[in-house]
Amino acid sequence: MATFIFSTDGTHGDVFQIIGLARALRERGHRVSLHTHAYYRDVAERAGLEFGPTDTEEQYRHQLTVHKTLLINALRSVTSVADFYREARMFDQMRRQYEAVAEVVRRQGSEGVVVVAGHSTGLAALMARDSFGVPAVWLAVFPGQVGTLHLTERVFAQTITDPINELRSSLGLPPVTDWAAWLASADLTLGLWPDWFDTAGNPTPDSVPKTGFILNDEAEGGDLPPDVAALVAPDVPDPERPVLISGGSSMSLHQELYAAAIEGCRQAGRIGIVVGRHRELLPDRLPDGFVWHPALPFATLMPRVAAVIHHGGILTCARGLAAATPQVILGYGTDRPDNGRRVRALGAGEWLPPARWTAVEVGAALSAVLTDPRYAASAARLAPRVDTAAALRAACDRLEALTERATTGAHPS
């Protein structure tokens, strides 16, 4: 039996797949703990994981706000990245993630311990590797994380070198002088998407094994509330079936997304089910026939709607592909335009940049994916290829192979 210590930051797209993988390792008999935002405690504990919060729910809400107001500015100026890391208390979270590994090593030694973290932000895992010689794994949840690592190296070197080296010094570690080498020091990087999604855009290196999408039905399943269940009941004819509109669980959205999606839906003559945790991002009033919920079980809902208009987050893309539901992606920032282009290349949906977010263009894209049979055919062809069970086996096998490596002491940074 090995000990896997997971840590991650972010929102549902970052956390739910990782919880699914952690649960699969626990079911294989390993000891598994997860260290992330307090907001995800219930989901983690339902999965049977030991849980260590890296913040409070209030601090997490603040981080989401900071992410919207500061990190989006990084699209214009990289100096905002340092502002975000400080204001969002990311360095405090790194220290807690590192200390979780240190506590395990103090208690049982480093043999059989593997640290698993989110790609790019998993700097605490690399510090634990440097200190204790434990294998470090980075989990990339979308291709852009791997494809833009060279840019991440430059941004981090320009913005957070000093605070990272202050943290390392307090842990008894030497400073980082070569960011490219340090960020490449993880023992394994796994891509949590399938090969066919990878090759639909700029492919990632062969050195990054692609396991497949890991959909967490336990976290995203459940019964629908009565008003939504009535809208997607089996006897509702296809022309009256609603469209799902979602901006994900983050606040870092283009301010026009919900308005553009709702107006485009009206333009196409459809009603919508609007899902968004942050009501302040939505228009003050919804059109007649539209309903809003802060959250809904997408594993249950997605196969029952006519189409989905969304922000392009990787988990929503994967859920739409698995459900054979045509997609219109209004992608802006980070990975979302790239994810949208890949879905369009696969023939399962359309992607529009913000300059084309008008009621006419969004409505036309929605009408196209609803009426052109090629979209439905592509979606139906791809749906069986989203195989969570196979993805979990592949990922667990790769992680278990690392536990066979003898620990020989701390690695140089």
Side-chain angles (χ1 to χ4, degrees):
M1 181 181 75
T3 299
F4 290 92
I5 305 171
F6 283 77
S7 62
T8 190
D9 304 291
T11 54
H12 291 1
D14 305 288
V15 180
F16 280 175
Q17 291 194 76
I18 290 175
I19 289 177
L21 175 54
R23 181 181 62 230
L25 285 166
R26 180 189 63 79
E27 291 171 350
R28 287 192 177 202
H30 301 291
R31 181 178 179 183
V32 185
S33 62
L34 174 66
H35 303 268
T36 189
H37 307 292
Y39 178 83
Y40 292 100
R41 177 187 293 275
D42 289 347
V43 179
E45 291 183 346
R46 285 201 306 271
L49 307 178
E50 299 178 19
F51 184 76
T54 57
D55 58 11
T56 66
E57 293 206 23
E58 180 62 33
Q59 288 168 342
Y60 182 50
R61 283 192 292 272
H62 177 65
Q63 185 179 112
L64 292 177
T65 303
V66 172
H67 191 282
K68 178 178 176 61
T69 58
L70 289 180
L71 194 58
I72 288 300
N73 291 335
L75 296 172
R76 307 181 187 93
S77 170
V78 298
T79 58
S80 293
V81 174
D83 295 335
F84 168 72
Y85 267 69
R86 283 191 293 268
E87 184 69 18
R89 305 177 67 89
M90 295 290 286
F91 302 111
D92 293 341
Q93 291 183 46
M94 288 181 202
R95 180 180 288 278
R96 293 189 186 98
Q97 291 165 350
Y98 175 92
E99 289 173 347
V101 182
E103 175 59 29
V104 171
V105 171
R106 281 193 293 267
R107 187 171 63 243
Q108 69 180 57
S110 60
E111 198 73 38
V113 174
V114 177
V115 185
V116 188
H119 191 282
S120 303
T121 61
L123 303 183
L126 299 185
M127 287 186 262
R129 181 185 189 274
D130 294 340
S131 288
F132 311 117
V134 295
V137 180
W138 270 7
L139 298 177
V141 298
F142 55 85
Q145 282 181 305
V146 177
T148 60
L149 185 59
H150 63 292
L151 298 177
T152 303
E153 295 163 2
R154 296 178 187 178
V155 170
F156 281 2
Q158 293 177 39
T159 58
I160 63 171
T161 293
D162 289 344
I164 282 293
N165 284 337
E166 289 172 10
L167 176 56
R168 287 177 63 89
S169 177
S170 73
L171 301 174
L173 291 169
V176 174
T177 57
D178 185 339
W179 274 92
W182 192 47
L183 294 182
S185 66
D187 297 89
L188 173 66
T189 297
L190 285 180
L192 304 187
W193 60 87
D195 286 326
W196 50 266
F197 191 80
D198 195 71
T199 56
N202 291 328
T204 52
D206 292 339
S207 58
V208 178
K210 271 67 75 172
T211 65
F213 294 125
I214 296 174
L215 295 180
N216 192 333
D217 286 353
E218 181 178 288
E220 292 196 280
D223 296 331
L224 298 172
D227 61 333
V228 175
L231 292 175
V232 296
D235 59 347
V236 174
D238 286 345
E240 297 178 17
R241 198 160 289 277
V243 171
L244 171 62
I245 297 173
S246 172
S249 56
S250 170
M251 291 186 71
S252 58
L253 297 173
H254 193 290
Q255 62 181 6
E256 297 299 325
L257 185 143
Y258 280 109
I262 291 167
E263 288 305 308
C265 199
R266 290 182 63 191
Q267 182 77 22
R270 294 279 182 156
I271 60 171
I273 299 169
V274 184
V275 179
R277 280 177 57 195
H278 311 286
R279 183 63 179 83
E280 64 271 25
L281 300 179
L282 277 64
D284 291 337
R285 294 187 61 184
L286 295 179
D288 291 343
F290 284 66
V291 298
W292 166 74
H293 285 266
L296 288 172
F298 278 11
T300 307
L301 177 61
M302 192 77 77
R304 304 185 189 182
V305 295
V308 54
I309 306 175
H310 66 97
H311 64 309
I314 190 64
L315 191 57
T316 311
C317 289
R319 182 63 70 184
L321 290 167
T325 301
Q327 306 179 41
V328 174
I329 296 172
L330 307 182
Y332 170 78
T334 61
D335 60 309
R336 298 161 188 166
D338 181 60
N339 296 336
R341 285 189 287 264
R342 290 172 191 267
V343 170
R344 182 172 63 186
L346 290 165
E350 282 295 336
W351 168 72
L352 296 175
R356 298 178 59 190
W357 290 3
T358 66
V360 171
E361 290 223 46
V362 176
L366 178 58
S367 294
V369 303
L370 288 171
T371 60
D372 187 333
R374 291 175 293 181
Y375 291 100
S378 295
R381 173 178 53 83
L382 292 167
R385 303 181 70 184
V386 180
D387 188 342
T388 292
L392 287 171
R393 287 193 298 271
C396 288
D397 289 347
R398 291 277 185 174
L399 291 171
E400 287 177 335
L402 282 179
T403 67
E404 300 171 4
R405 191 189 79 185
T407 301
T408 57
H411 299 274
S413 63

